[in-house]
Amino acid sequence: MSRTPLIAGNWKMNGLLSDGTTLAKAVALGAKGAACDILICPPATLLAPIKEALAGTTVHLGAQDCHWQASGAHTGDISAQMLVDIGCSHVILGHSERRADHGETDNQVALKAAAAHNAGLMALICVGETEAQRDAGDTMSVISAQLDGSVPDSATSENTVIAYEPVWAIGTGRTPTAQEANQVHAHIRAHLRGRLGTEGIADLRILYGGSMKPGNAVDLLAQPDIDGGLIGGAALKAEDFLGIVAAAVS
Ligand code: 13P
């Protein structure tokens, strides 16, 4: 098995030109020589300048969404090909904030992921239960249904990463225990192997997201089925993000 940890920063709707490029450069400098893969996903307005700021570094660039069509009358949307054109290698899809704010459905997420695959992008597909679903004991069935609906048949270890982000843990400072999170990750792995077979997704990486900080990253990242993190708030400070990067390689 070779699942190089991936530490990904989802900046969400944060960052202007000056502070965004400064942050990206600080991350790239501090992460030099890191043994994990590192990804920055700034808002779309900063993709081009941050691509330039990251030139010559090993830090990957990703977007936070794409449309499933290659081009056409879709005002405000960006296609997977456009992201590749500007230098992206990854795209986050189906984040719970997009599902909540824009009514994105599992089926749309699957179409977007297939478009990302066709364009040569790595799709980071997000799943996660709400607090009510967790309290009702429905976490595993909710996750299974989201995987069935959101992960296209074209998914392999080479073009897909899954991010498990419990909705109740995002931006709240609360997290499941590392063991609880690992149980869900193991379930995700087993469920996808059952559906897609073991060969194509043998090295599939499954990231944890939701209030990951330097202080809890060591425990979470030490779990056998947690292969990295998708970081929100802590990705906006180089020191915090690099603290998590350090936890991934220790
Ligand atoms: P926080 O790290 O701010 O909880 O956000 C997690 C997240 O939503 C990453 O996609």
Side-chain angles (χ1 to χ4, degrees), residues 87-163:
C88 289
S89 52
H90 295 65
V91 61
I92 299 170
L93 296 170
H95 192 283
S96 61
E97 287 152 13
R98 292 211 56 88
R99 292 175 187 260
D101 293 354
H102 299 273
E104 278 188 16
T105 63
D106 285 337
N107 185 50
Q108 288 173 339
V109 176
L111 290 171
K112 290 176 178 206
H117 293 163
N118 279 334
L121 288 171
M122 177 85 80
L124 264 80
I125 302 174
C126 303
V127 295
E129 83 285 2
T130 64
E131 183 152 38
Q133 289 165 335
R134 172 181 161 94
D135 289 347
D138 292 339
T139 297
M140 299 305 188
S141 60
V142 165
I143 299 294
S144 297
Q146 287 180 342
L147 292 171
D148 289 345
S150 308
V151 178
D153 290 340
S154 52
T156 69
S157 313
E158 273 69 53
N159 64 20
T160 301
V161 171
I162 304 294

Side-chain angles (χ1 to χ4, degrees), residues 10 12 95 97 165 169-172 209-212 230-234:
N10 174 10
K12 307 190 180 184
H95 192 283
E97 287 152 13
E165 298 207 315
I170 295 175
T172 60
S211 297
M212 191 185 267
L230 183 54
I231 323 298

Side-chain angles (χ1 to χ4, degrees), residues 17-229:
L17 190 55
S18 170
D19 56 299
T21 47
T22 302
L23 175 58
K25 283 180 184 166
V27 166
L29 190 69
K32 240 184 192 167
C36 62
D37 290 340
I38 299 170
L39 169 66
I40 291 178
C41 301
T45 49
L46 293 185
L47 288 171
I50 288 186
K51 179 69 190 171
E52 211 176 295
L54 294 177
T57 77
T58 54
V59 177
H60 301 284
L61 181 68
Q64 299 174 13
D65 180 45
C66 73
H67 199 273
W68 57 85
Q69 298 281 358
S71 62
H74 301 286
T75 302
D77 280 310
I78 299 173
S79 75
Q81 282 92 338
M82 290 170 178
L83 296 178
V84 171
D85 189 41
I86 208 165
C88 289
S89 52
H90 295 65
V91 61
I92 299 170
L93 296 170
H95 192 283
S96 61
E97 287 152 13
R98 292 211 56 88
R99 292 175 187 260
D101 293 354
H102 299 273
E104 278 188 16
T105 63
D106 285 337
N107 185 50
Q108 288 173 339
V109 176
L111 290 171
K112 290 176 178 206
H117 293 163
N118 279 334
L121 288 171
M122 177 85 80
L124 264 80
I125 302 174
C126 303
V127 295
E129 83 285 2
T130 64
E131 183 152 38
Q133 289 165 335
R134 172 181 161 94
D135 289 347
D138 292 339
T139 297
M140 299 305 188
S141 60
V142 165
I143 299 294
S144 297
Q146 287 180 342
L147 292 171
D148 289 345
S150 308
V151 178
D153 290 340
S154 52
T156 69
S157 313
E158 273 69 53
N159 64 20
T160 301
V161 171
I162 304 294
Y164 169 55
E165 298 207 315
V167 178
W168 53 272
I170 295 175
T172 60
R174 298 164 56 207
T175 63
T177 66
Q179 292 73 18
E180 283 169 344
N182 191 65
Q183 277 173 13
V184 181
H185 283 230
H187 172 80
I188 291 170
R189 200 177 302 285
H191 188 82
L192 286 176
R193 281 184 177 172
R195 186 185 132 202
L196 298 171
T198 47
E199 201 155 304
I201 58 160
D203 294 329
L204 182 76
R205 289 181 290 185
I206 304 174
L207 313 186
Y208 170 79
S211 297
M212 191 185 267
K213 313 275 181 221
N216 58 27
V218 174
D219 271 359
L220 286 161
L221 295 172
Q223 297 297 314
D225 280 298
I226 300 184
D227 306 313

